[in-house]
């Protein structure tokens, strides 16, 4: 792991916890907050000379986290979200709500993205 270790800084344990959290949620800000650090510091550590291994782990974890976010969004778009109704502190009913915006975001995330290559006969998936 790159750089000197400060007691209140990006220790190797904190870097590993950040990478694990990033793989789980795919969000840099949330991952940094989970290890009681700031995203700005994570970006600086990533760009620091000697930070190539941290950057490589970051890239892989971010991709895993992205897949997890898409899976979770698909599940919510298909199954909906259960909302409880309360009256005087007690649950008196539930309904399932479907978010059209979420469904559209999922469809856009899953849609293959094509771009032209030099040879116009072929289209390539990104």
């Amino acid at each position: 792991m790159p750089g000197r270790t400060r007691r209140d800084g990006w220790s190797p344990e904190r870097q590993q916890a950040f990478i694990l959290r990033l793989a789980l949620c795919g969000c840099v800000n949330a991952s940094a907050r989970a290890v009681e650090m700031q995203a700005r510091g994570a970006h600086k550590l990533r760009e620091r000379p000697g930070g190539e291994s941290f950057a490589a782990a970051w890239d892989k974890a971010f991709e895993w986290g992205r897949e997890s976010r898409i899976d979770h969004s698909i599940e919510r778009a298909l199954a909906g979200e259960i909302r409880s109704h309360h009256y005087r502190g007690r649950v008196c009913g539930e309904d399932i709500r479907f978010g059209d915006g979420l469904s559209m975001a999922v469809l856009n995330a899953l849609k293959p993205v094509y771009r032209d290559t030099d040879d116009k006969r072929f289209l390539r998936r990104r």
Side-chain angles (χ1 to χ4, degrees):
M1 301 286 172
R4 292 181 308 206
T5 301
R6 290 178 25 180
R7 194 168 57 89
D8 63 342
W10 284 96
S11 66
E13 294 81 17
R14 195 168 262 165
Q15 291 177 40
Q16 290 173 350
F18 170 82
I19 294 297
L20 176 62
R21 181 67 183 201
L22 188 60
L24 292 173
C25 73
C27 178
V28 174
N29 288 329
S31 300
R33 277 193 311 270
V35 296
E36 300 176 347
M37 298 298 283
Q38 294 182 6
R40 183 179 69 230
H43 285 284
K44 285 183 180 180
L45 181 64
R46 176 186 169 90
E47 300 302 321
R48 195 183 288 171
E52 294 82 10
S53 63
F54 182 70
W58 175 316
D59 292 340
K60 191 66 172 173
F62 189 78
E63 185 61 32
W64 287 340
R66 180 181 178 277
E67 292 171 10
S68 174
R69 284 192 321 269
I70 289 172
D71 288 346
H72 179 72
S73 297
I74 290 170
E75 182 179 330
R76 278 191 51 208
L78 294 175
E81 182 178 19
I82 297 175
R83 296 280 177 105
S84 301
H85 299 286
H86 296 74
Y87 179 74
R88 294 188 178 186
R90 293 180 180 233
V91 176
C92 61
E94 293 179 336
D95 66 354
I96 299 175
R97 300 178 89 184
F98 294 92
D100 292 336
L102 177 61
S103 297
M104 292 303 295
V106 168
L107 290 173
N108 285 330
L110 295 176
K111 177 176 59 175
V113 178
Y114 294 97
R115 62 180 169 188
D116 292 334
T117 60
D118 292 337
D119 186 351
K120 299 289 185 189
R121 293 178 296 161
F122 299 102
L123 293 177
R124 177 175 70 199
R125 187 176 183 182
R126 272 190 190 169

